[in-house]
Every structure is written in C-alpha cells, then in structure tokens.
Amino acid sequence: MARFSRSDFTLDSFRRQLANVDALPQLCVLGLVSGLITGALMVVFRLLLSAGALLYMPEGNPEAFESLAPWGRAALPFMAVGLIGTLLYRQKAAARKLGVGHVIERLTYHQGRFPLRNWLNQWWVGVVAVLGGLSAGREGPAIHLGAAASSGLGQRMRLPNNSLRVLVACGTAAGISASFNTPIAGVIFAMEVVMMEYTMMSFMPVILASMMGALVAQVVYGNEPAFHIPDVALGSLMNLPWVVMTGLVIGLLAGGFIHLSRLQHFQQWPLWGRLGVVAFITGVAAFWFPEVQGIGYDSVAAALNNQLAVQVLLALIAVKLVVTALTVAGGVPIGIIGPVLVIGAATGALSGLLGGWVWGAKAADPGIYAMLGMAAMMGAVLQAPLAALMALLELTHTPGIMLPGMLAVVVACLTSRQLTGCEGFFISSVRYGLHPLQQPLMQALSRVSVPAVMERHLVRTSRMITPDQARRLLENNPIWLVIERSTSDKPVLGLKAAALARWMIEHDESSSDNASNEGLIDLLEIPGERLEMAPIALQATLSEAFLTLQNDALDALYVVHGNRPKQRRISGIITRGAIERYYHYSDPRDNDSSHKEPQPKE
C-alpha cells in the first residue's frame, strides 16, 4: 500500500505534479474550483444587469426596450457609446481588448495570462453595452470574466503555464454553462473554439468546471430551459430540401456578417466618427424596431413560438445583422453570440413561413426552422458545428431536432467557409487566422511544462576553480555544470560534468606529483562541449522553451525559479534533445524491458 508524506500535499508538490502531462486528479480539482468561481461571477454579472435595469426599464427587465418611448430607446445607444468612448478609449490600446477574441489571443500568445485592467473594464463595458441598447450579448463578457478569473487563480498560486491553459478552458466552459444553463455546450465551445483540441487531460477538468458553473447558476435561477417552445416535430422528410436551402442562406448571411465586421475602410475612420456611426444606426433602428436592441432572447422566444410579424423578422435578419457587425467593426467590444442566435432564429422562422407557403400542409412548423436557424447561424459564424448542435439540444430540450439540425449546421458551415471564404469569427479576429495552437506540435508541447523534462542534477560554479573545488562539485554526481560568468553581458554556459570528471582523471594519471594540482582549472579551456544558455521561467511550457531555442539559436536553457531577481535560483536545464525526446513517438514493444528508457525513432 502506498504511503504518503506531508510533502506530497504541499503547494510545491502540487506544482510539480501539474507540470506533467498526466496530472489529471490535480487538474480536476482546479476545474471544480474554477467552475465555482466562474459560476459565482456570472451570478454577480447577471445581478448587475438586473440592478441597472431597475433604474429605467419597465419591471427591471434588461430586455424590455419595446416598452420604452421611441425617443428614449433611440437615445440610449448615444449615451452608451459616449460612455464607452470616453472611459475606455482614454486608456491604452492593450487595455481595450475584451471578450472572446481577447481570451483566445491571451491563450495563444501570452500563455493564458490576463491583465487585470482588461478584466475590470469587461465588467462595466459588458453592463453598459447591454443596458445601453447596443446589439450585444452577455456571453462574451461571461467568457472573459470566467477565463481571466480562473487563470488569475493559477497565477496567484504560481502554477505552471500548461495548467493555466486548462484553467482558461475551464473558465470559458463555466461561463457559457452559467449564462445559458448549457453545460455540455459550454464544454464543447471551450474545446472547439478556444482550446482547439480534444484531449482527456483537458476534457475532464473542463467538464467538472462546466458542471459546477451550471449548478451555481441553477441554485440562483433554477433549472428551467433558456427558451420554452411548443412540442413540434419535423414531420415529412420532404422538409429536408428546404432545410438545406435554409442552411445555404444562413451560411451566406454568416459570411456577410464576418466580412462586414472586418470592414477595413470603416475601421480606418477616426474613433469618434466610427462611434458616432454606431450610435446613429443603432438609435435609428431602435426607434422603429426596438427588437434589435440588447441581447434579444425575448425575440428568440417569440420566434420559436411564431409570435413575430414578418416585418419584425426581416428587421432582425437585416438590421440586427448590420448593426451588430458595424458595432464590432467600429471598435465597440460587444458579445456577438446572443445577437447571432437572434439573427439565426429570425432567418429560420422566416424560412419556415416561406416553406409553409410552398409546401402547404407538409411543411414543418416555423418554430422548427427557428431552432435550426439558431444552430446553423452559430455554427457558421464560429465555425464550431459541434458546439452549435449541443447548444441547440440544451437550449430547446428537443432531441428530435438533432437530425435536421446536423444537416442545417453542416450546410451553413460549408457555405460560410467555401463560398464566402470565411474562417471562424474569433479565429479571423486573432492575427487573421494565423493561430499557433492549430499546429499539432505546438499543441502537444503546450500541454507540458519544463519541470517535467528538465534535468535537475546540476551544480553552479564559477569559471575558475581549484582541483579540490572540482572534486567537491563532482561528489554528488551532477549531470551538468552551470558556469556563471563574471558580468551579466556574458552568456551562462552549460558543461557536462562528465567532461570535467574525464579531465580530472586524465590529469591525475599524467601528473607524477601533486604540485600541478594546486593550480586553477579554467572550465572554459578543458575539452568538452559548452552550450550557451538563456533563462526560462519554471512555469513555462515546452512550447515556450521550443520557441526560445528556435528564435535564439540555442541548444539549452536554464530554468530559473523565484520572483525576485536577487533570490532567483537555477532549478534545472532543458536541452533541445530533451524536448525532441518528449514529442518523438516510441513504441514500448521495441524495448527489451519495461525498465529501459524509451528511445525515439529516427
């Protein structure tokens, strides 16, 4: 029976275990904590929306724009844009990055570390955008707040960067789960859109985080589905060609939405010109069609129950699409998932009405097409078909819709990608589709931190040592000698301890007396290969180490541990060969015994 000591339960031991690729129990614990934190944050965010709505919305409903006077609701976007422009755009450009795109960028290029200022900005910008009548959703803020808070937990505990990546995915999943009450869709969204990978080490912690986020939200808001829909079915298979046509139209709309939101000419306008246009078009649209304002979940519910007039459906398709896309292009950081669902539901409902006119009694209920439209539009805009299908299932609680849902989502995704040339919305917003985590090698190396493969048997020494000092250095059988230089501008060097031991043996054998042993040994002069090394943090992943070695043309790095410069110590050495041995495949059957180290295939 295994025995455990107190050292097995220390924070340092926890960090060391997380550095490995098989730290599943530790990651699951972090997933539970992340889900609890994110779920609580989502409850607070929704309470802030409700509290703000009490100031001027009828019955404190954040989506009751239809009940406001036309001039009042038309004035709200001007106030919201003015507030965001004054308070947000007076800050540095880096502090203005918010939402899902910011989460993917920090995960991709900054190892999942988030600035505190952006996180604080996301709170008030998310509330102002929704309550100010802009066409904005609450999912973008939810994902940013949850991912950054979860990552912040890992940073406070100084966990390795590979675990920060999982924490970001946990916060993302829990944010979606708590916002929609869709735990499965939260998991798939985190893995398909943010992490862009499916691994057991990531899946289980993310599942636990999503579950915990949903539980926290259900404790406060109950377990009701997001939308109540009638009991309807597709009926005749003759509807399937019309489903294909609906998916084709939605794919074209999704491509148009992405292209319009990336409108280069508009993005080059002066700031206040762009913000003025956003406020003007939103205000004018709101005067005539208040349904385009806010998140629009009330409009989705009405579309699912055939309660919207044709002119309102057209406004939700055309006007809300243009308003939302130009708001993004204008630089206002809003969540787009909610508006995308509204546009898709309206398109599907209108398609269903047209289908009833064409097919007559054999046509399915327009509410069915509204459901399909939601999933198709979400899948096409995000290029995340599985997340869209899971959202469809959990939002509607209608398993029978999955078969036509698959067809609609695939057709819409293919149309958006192939006919309009659009990548996913968030991939397009991060370096125009150049996403390093889509590279399999970088994905694999990002799952492990340097402590998992670094060589820990080393000693630090100066360049000039006496023979007695050399013998003392070799007493504990180190693998590496880290030669520290006299000035900081000279690189730290790594020398195999075996080279010094060999020199000592040869020197002792060739010496007839001990007089020559009294001189100093120059470690830069004895035979042996010396590697120039650069520092890397203990929390870094193998992908960071790999890129550092590649960019600086080095063969080794020394791993530093500690926050203060004067208190930093060298914990190990990681070589290019150690990284290559990690990602090269080795068949264990090729080994003579299970005790041998696996050898890489050449």
Side-chain angles (χ1 to χ4, degrees), residues 330-399:
V332 181
I334 60 169
I336 63 129
I337 298 177
V340 160
L341 290 175
V342 176
I343 297 167
T347 306
L350 184 60
S351 176
L353 291 175
L354 292 175
W357 179 71
V358 173
W359 298 106
K362 294 183 178 180
D365 187 274
I368 288 286
Y369 285 94
M371 298 182 213
L372 299 177
M374 280 197 309
M377 190 70 178
M378 178 180 172
V381 169
L382 304 181
Q383 284 298 306
L386 191 56
L389 288 171
M390 289 300 101
L392 173 66
L393 176 62
E394 292 185 295
L395 288 173
T396 64
H397 287 198
T398 309

Side-chain angles (χ1 to χ4, degrees), residues 272-290:
W272 285 106
R274 286 183 278 126
L275 296 181
V277 169
V278 169
F280 177 77
I281 62 172
T282 306
V284 170
F287 185 88
W288 301 104
F289 296 101

Side-chain angles (χ1 to χ4, degrees), residues 92-110:
K92 295 180 179 179
R96 303 197 294 262
K97 296 180 179 180
L98 309 173
V100 183
H102 177 63
V103 171
I104 296 176
E105 179 182 0
R106 300 305 298 187
L107 181 66
T108 306
Y109 303 107
H110 303 277

Side-chain angles (χ1 to χ4, degrees), residues 314-456:
L314 289 171
L316 289 175
I317 297 169
V319 179
K320 192 171 181 68
L321 186 149
V322 173
V323 167
T324 306
L326 288 181
T327 303
V328 174
V332 181
I334 60 169
I336 63 129
I337 298 177
V340 160
L341 290 175
V342 176
I343 297 167
T347 306
L350 184 60
S351 176
L353 291 175
L354 292 175
W357 179 71
V358 173
W359 298 106
K362 294 183 178 180
D365 187 274
I368 288 286
Y369 285 94
M371 298 182 213
L372 299 177
M374 280 197 309
M377 190 70 178
M378 178 180 172
V381 169
L382 304 181
Q383 284 298 306
L386 191 56
L389 288 171
M390 289 300 101
L392 173 66
L393 176 62
E394 292 185 295
L395 288 173
T396 64
H397 287 198
T398 309
I401 200 67
M402 293 302 289
L403 178 62
M406 292 177 183
L407 181 60
V409 168
V410 169
V411 170
C413 288
L414 284 175
T415 302
S416 176
R417 177 180 288 270
Q418 301 300 324
L419 296 187
T420 69
C422 289
E423 299 284 343
F425 178 87
F426 295 116
I427 293 300
S428 300
S429 66
V430 181
R431 303 283 177 92
Y432 300 99
L434 300 178
H435 199 301
L437 291 184
Q438 289 177 307
Q439 305 172 20
L441 173 60
M442 300 309 293
Q443 281 188 348
L445 296 181
S446 296
R447 299 183 193 123
V448 183
S449 285
V450 293
V453 300
M454 72 182 185
E455 178 56 64
R456 301 173 184 271

